[in-house]
Every structure is written in C-alpha cells, then in structure tokens.
Amino acid sequence: PSWVIRILQAVVVNETCLYGFVVGSALMVSSQADCFAFSVRDGATLIVYLFQYCPWGFFLMWFSHSEVGSDLIPGDTGGVAQYSRWYLLMILVTKVLLVLTKRSNFPPSIVLALLVVGLVSFPESGRISATSDCVEPTGLIQFLLCWVLPEGIMVERKWVSPMLLYYATIMYGQAMAGRAGKCLPRPQATSWRAVYSVACYTLSALLGFWYIGFVYPTDGTETVEWPDGAVAFVSNPRIDNKVAVIMLTMAITVPVVQVALVFAAVYYGPGDRAKQVAASWVSATMLGTYLISENLNFGNWVIQVIFMVCNCQCSDMHGLAQLAAAGMLLIAVSLSFGLLYQMLLLRMVVPSVLRGISWLSERIKAALHSSDGRLPDSSESDIESSQE
C-alpha cells in the first residue's frame, strides 16, 4: 500500500533521524567534563574522520614503489565513502567554536546569531574547493588538502542547520531538558505512562506524515537534508520572500519538534531498566551504523524486504507486515554491520593510531633526551579514555 512508503518517509527518511542523531550526540557531549576543552575524544574523532576517506591507493603505491592507478584519492565508490564524513567534520568545527567561545568569554547568543545569518545567507548546496584536482593530486600540500577536504569547504544551508542545532543543544540542551522534565506531567501508573508514550510517538509520526505530504509535492524532495550534493556549487533561490521563509522555517522546526516528541515518548515509556539497556545498545551501534550505511545500499534492502512480504495487490495487513519487516531489517543491520564497524573504529583503528602516535612521541623524546638515557612514561590512560 502507498501509505507504507509514506510512513517510512515520515519516520525514517526525512531529517528527523538526522536531527535526532545530532541532538542525542550533543546531549551526551554536554554531559562530559571536557565539553569546552580539547581532549583525546576529539583526536579520536579526527582519526575516524581521516579513516573514512583514507587514500589507500596512495599509501599502497608509496609502500610498493609502483603505480596503482590514477585514483589516488578515493571517490564515492572507492574505499569507505566520504558521504558521511561531513558529520564528523561538523563535530570538529563545532568543538573549535565551543572552545573559542569558552576561552574568550564570547556570548553564545552571538555565535548562534551568526550561524542563523549563515543559514539564511548561504545557498542550499555550495562548496569552495580547496584544490582544483583531487583525482591526481600533485605535491604533499595538495594531497593533504584533498585528504582533509576532498570536496572543499562547505558553505551551504543544509550543513549550517545541523551545526546550529548541535551548538545550541550543547549550550542549552541540558537546561531545557531539565526544565521540561519538571514541567511535563509524569503519571505514576504504568498504563498511563504507556498511553502518554504512544501518544507522543504517534504525534511525531503524524507530524512527519503531514510534512512529507506537504513538502514533497512542493520541492520534489526534502527542503533541508544532509550534504550529499554531487554538484560543485548549486545556488538555490534566496530566502527573500514569504514562501521561502516559511519553507526554511518548517524544514528546521518540524523535524526538531518530531525529535522532541520522540524524546518525550522515551521519557514517558515504562520500563526504566529496559530503556537503559536499549540506550546502551544504541550508543554502541549508532555511530557505526551511520558511518557505514552509505556502503550497504540500505534503501534497496528495505525495498526488497517490502516486496518479499508482498509485491502486488497488497492489503492493509500486508502493509503492517511490511512495516514490521522493515523495522526488523533496521535493527538487524544496526546490531550486525553497525556494531562491528563501530567496534572496528573505536577498539582497533583509534587505539592503534593513538598507540602509534604515543610510540613515535616516545622515540622523539628519547632522541631529544638521549644524553641522560631517560625515556618518558607512556600515556595508556589516553587510549583507554578514547574508547569510552
């Protein structure tokens, strides 16, 4: 049935998942003591960012002293796609803003105002290229620029909006969540808590259902989505009329309200122990699932599962079974590919790189202090903290 696709678009495809990911990550960061200072976690984020777009071809050629082809910097089909790297870059850039804001005592409201100006002024999709050729980079500087910024510096509205939400959540999210927890009614009866939870999640789904039906006929796709444009520079109509302002406002506020309703549904949901277990599994799989999702062709998997249940003249009961099958597929992918990839990144790649950096720093310090023969102590605690 057509309503199955509409529900999947309303609940899974639109910006609600992205903004929920951003808000959840920001709330976890805001609860850490080193929220406004650089730490080993930021180094781990940078390592994962570089690993997501690692130029394996260049290193293979360098180690083997032979040519392995012209595609030294992998494109969308080479290695792990760089599609999802923008999120990690957004976290790093926002962390720099947070540190500068704290150390300079700069008012966060002014930073938010500047981000809002960028949100309105920037085009929907735009790049300022860091280098002219990232297929066959010449020279170390061009190679490093292509590795760090393969598609240039993003100056686009759909990149600033998650950054604005991430920064605002870190600054004010904990206070707003605490105030909401005090203001929202919380019935003691388990049955009523379940009713409140189902009502909040139903409202979120209905809001997304209405939003998809309103936006798609108007724009053909989401008004604001993650930066995935293949065109180097595309300038959408300016925000200079009432309709454009309304569309931009809805594109941000509707997903944010959906996220708030989902959080309220979790807040009201009974079974605190079950929610803690679910939260631990989400924390263990969320990042890995997002970073590897582009390589899994997940959209086609969902379509295949839906057609396996019913592919012609489907009844409403078939539609419910299709939704259940799509949900089970999402859980299975998260608990398999997402979990394994996150373990690969945080338990193998990041610790190995940090140990290599520690070993190299020890060798350098040993060379500098070779006269007295003393070696500095290694910092294993930094490696352990990066795995948390």
Side-chain angles (χ1 to χ4, degrees):
S2 60
W3 57 266
V4 174
I5 301 299
R6 293 286 297 277
I7 289 179
L8 289 175
Q9 289 175 338
V11 178
V12 178
V13 177
N14 74 340
E15 293 78 18
T16 305
C17 291
L18 171 65
Y19 284 6
F21 189 34
V22 170
V23 172
S25 301
L27 287 175
M28 287 190 293
V29 170
S30 62
S31 63
Q32 298 169 357
D34 56 0
C35 176
F36 296 98
F38 294 115
S39 65
V40 179
R41 293 186 183 87
D42 303 307
T45 303
L46 179 60
I47 291 171
V48 174
Y49 173 78
L50 296 176
F51 179 80
Q52 282 292 111
Y53 197 53
C54 187
W56 304 110
F58 176 86
F59 294 117
L60 180 61
M61 183 186 68
W62 187 71
F63 281 112
S64 62
H65 303 286
S66 62
E67 294 185 3
V68 293
S70 60
D71 192 12
L72 301 183
I73 302 294
D76 291 336
T77 58
V80 179
Q82 94 286 8
Y83 170 86
S84 54
R85 283 210 326 167
W86 75 269
Y87 172 77
L88 300 173
L89 180 61
M90 184 269 294
I91 289 179
L92 293 171
V93 173
T94 308
K95 188 56 177 287
V96 173
L97 280 179
L98 290 169
V99 173
L100 292 178
T101 302
K102 187 68 174 180
R103 293 185 177 180
S104 62
N105 293 324
F106 200 72
S109 57
I110 297 181
V111 177
L112 290 174
L114 293 175
L115 290 174
V116 171
V117 171
L119 182 67
V120 176
S121 304
F122 288 169
E124 185 74 9
S125 300
R127 305 285 194 277
I128 298 178
S129 297
T131 180
S132 59
D133 185 11
C134 280
V135 176
E136 296 181 348
T138 58
L140 179 62
I141 300 300
Q142 187 177 7
F143 165 75
L144 293 177
L145 286 174
C146 288
W147 188 5
V148 176
L149 299 171
E151 293 194 2
I153 302 173
M154 287 177 283
V155 286
E156 55 191 26
R157 190 179 305 139
K158 57 186 180 181
W159 193 80
V160 175
S161 57
M163 185 177 177
L164 172 64
L165 181 61
Y166 190 81
Y167 183 91
T169 303
I170 291 179
M171 284 295 183
Y172 307 109
Q174 291 286 348
M176 293 180 64
R179 191 169 300 175
K182 295 179 180 179
C183 296
L184 291 175
R186 186 175 174 86
Q188 298 298 323
T190 303
S191 58
W192 278 108
R193 290 173 59 185
V195 169
Y196 274 60
S197 178
V198 172
C200 290
Y201 194 80
T202 302
L203 286 175
S204 176
L206 291 176
L207 183 59
F209 197 83
W210 168 82
Y211 177 64
I212 292 297
F214 177 78
V215 172
Y216 270 57
T218 305
D219 192 43
T221 180
E222 296 96 335
T223 303
V224 177
E225 63 178 25
W226 43 87
D228 57 352
V231 182
F233 195 92
V234 178
S235 180
N236 282 18
R238 295 179 179 275
I239 309 298
D240 56 0
N241 57 75
K242 183 178 180 180
V243 174
V245 172
I246 292 176
M247 293 298 294
L248 178 61
T249 304
M250 288 180 55
I252 297 175
T253 56
V254 171
V256 170
V257 172
Q258 283 187 272
V259 171
L261 287 172
V262 171
F263 280 20
V266 175
Y267 170 77
Y268 282 121
D272 293 338
R273 176 58 182 170
K275 288 190 290 185
Q276 290 177 359
V277 173
S280 64
W281 279 104
V282 169
S283 177
T285 59
M286 182 171 58
L287 178 63
T289 301
Y290 177 73
L291 293 179
I292 202 174
S293 61
E294 181 64 14
N295 297 84
L296 299 180
N297 204 8
F298 180 73
N300 286 340
W301 291 2
V302 173
I303 295 175
Q304 291 174 7
V305 167
I306 289 176
F307 284 168
M308 285 176 59
V309 176
C310 178
N311 60 3
C312 183
Q313 296 182 349
C314 303
S315 64
D316 289 341
M317 291 301 298
H318 285 124
L320 294 176
Q322 289 173 334
L323 286 177
M328 293 175 62
L329 174 64
L330 176 61
I331 295 174
V333 169
S334 299
L335 296 180
S336 56
F337 292 99
L339 177 63
L340 292 175
Y341 192 62
Q342 186 159 324
M343 291 176 62
L344 170 69
L345 293 175
L346 301 185
R347 296 183 181 273
M348 294 181 63
V349 174
V350 172
S352 298
V353 173
L354 290 177
R355 286 191 179 96
I357 295 174
S358 178
W359 177 86
L360 182 61
S361 64
E362 287 180 1
R363 301 285 78 78
I364 294 175
K365 291 179 180 179
L368 295 176
H369 297 81
S370 58
S371 58
D372 54 13
R374 290 184 291 106
L375 293 177
D377 295 332
S378 59
S379 54
E380 291 293 331
S381 59
D382 289 347
I383 299 174
E384 295 175 359
S385 63
S386 68
Q387 302 176 14
E388 297 178 354

